[in-house]
Amino acid sequence: MLRKGYVDARYKPSYVITLEELEWLGERVEYLQALTERLCKARSPVTWNNSSLR
């Protein structure tokens, strides 16, 4: 859904997303960010600084 939304929003002027869909996508993005951070920390002994990730 995220990939389709990106492609459609970029190339289709008629693309529409509901508030419910947008909120769901936001939750998924937050989950994927947290998962990525956990996996990276587990693989690397480097001390992570959240401000450097943005």
Side-chain angles (χ1 to χ4, degrees):
M1 182 177 193
L2 184 56
R3 184 178 297 157
K4 181 177 176 2
Y6 170 77
V7 172
D8 287 356
R10 186 166 183 180
Y11 298 107
K12 294 183 180 179
S14 62
Y15 179 75
V16 176
I17 187 169
T18 67
L19 181 57
E20 183 179 321
E21 291 168 327
L22 184 60
E23 289 172 344
W24 182 86
L25 285 171
E27 291 170 4
R28 297 302 299 163
V29 168
E30 288 175 3
Y31 170 78
L32 290 172
Q33 286 175 325
L35 178 61
T36 301
E37 185 175 345
R38 282 197 313 269
L39 292 172
C40 288
K41 285 180 179 179
R43 290 189 63 154
S44 174
V46 175
T47 302
W48 286 76
N49 177 347
N50 286 338
S51 64
S52 69
L53 296 176
R54 294 183 182 151

